[in-house]
């Protein structure tokens, strides 16, 4: 009874997670997708530790901080890179003169 319902919800959630992930991957680069996946994992670790009352140890806290710092460094680098070299105009848009 109960476990079948939980398994169905889990399967539904996992299927939709994979569909959303595939859709997002078709829209952004693999590197950006990996960075977002890193943030998703951090969110899952923090939320599940709060919900289930699992204490975050010094080592796991350090891992969370390093992951957030890495994501922020990546975002800063990509932002600076975009400022230095703007994207070319899309060929689908009409050019204004």
């Amino acid at each position: 009874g109960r476990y079948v319902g939980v398994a169905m919800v889990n399967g539904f959630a996992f299927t939709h997670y994979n569909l959303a992930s595939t859709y997002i991957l078709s829209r952004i680069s693999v590197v950006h997708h990996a960075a977002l996946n890193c943030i998703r994992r951090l969110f899952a670790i923090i939320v599940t530790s709060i919900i289930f009352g699992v204490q975050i140890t010094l080592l796991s806290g350090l891992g969370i901080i390093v992951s957030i710092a890495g994501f922020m460094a990546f975002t800063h680098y990509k932002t600076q890179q975009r400022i230095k070299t703007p994207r070319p105009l899309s060929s689908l848009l009409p050019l204004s003169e």
Side-chain angles (χ1 to χ4, degrees), residues 17-29 32-33 36:
Y17 160 73
N18 279 325
L19 289 171
S21 183
T22 303
Y23 174 75
I24 290 170
L25 188 56
S26 72
R27 299 278 192 193
I28 62 175
S29 73
H32 287 94
H33 188 268
L36 289 174

Side-chain angles (χ1 to χ4, degrees), residues 70-84:
F71 179 77
M72 291 175 68
F74 169 77
T75 304
H76 176 74
Y77 171 76
K78 283 305 215 179
T79 303
Q80 294 303 315
Q81 189 179 27
R82 186 171 290 146
I83 290 170
K84 290 178 183 174

Side-chain angles (χ1 to χ4, degrees), residues 4-5 7 39-40 53 58 63 90:
V4 172
I39 292 300
R40 181 198 59 84
L58 179 64
S90 171

Side-chain angles (χ1 to χ4, degrees), residues 9-63:
V9 169
N10 184 38
F12 181 80
F14 189 69
T15 299
H16 284 80
Y17 160 73
N18 279 325
L19 289 171
S21 183
T22 303
Y23 174 75
I24 290 170
L25 188 56
S26 72
R27 299 278 192 193
I28 62 175
S29 73
V30 175
V31 175
H32 287 94
H33 188 268
L36 289 174
N37 204 23
C38 176
I39 292 300
R40 181 198 59 84
R41 286 185 185 138
L42 286 173
F43 180 76
I45 290 168
I46 293 169
V47 168
T48 55
S49 68
I50 292 169
I51 290 173
F52 296 115
V54 176
Q55 188 176 16
I56 295 177
T57 64
L58 179 64
L59 186 60
S60 60
L62 183 63

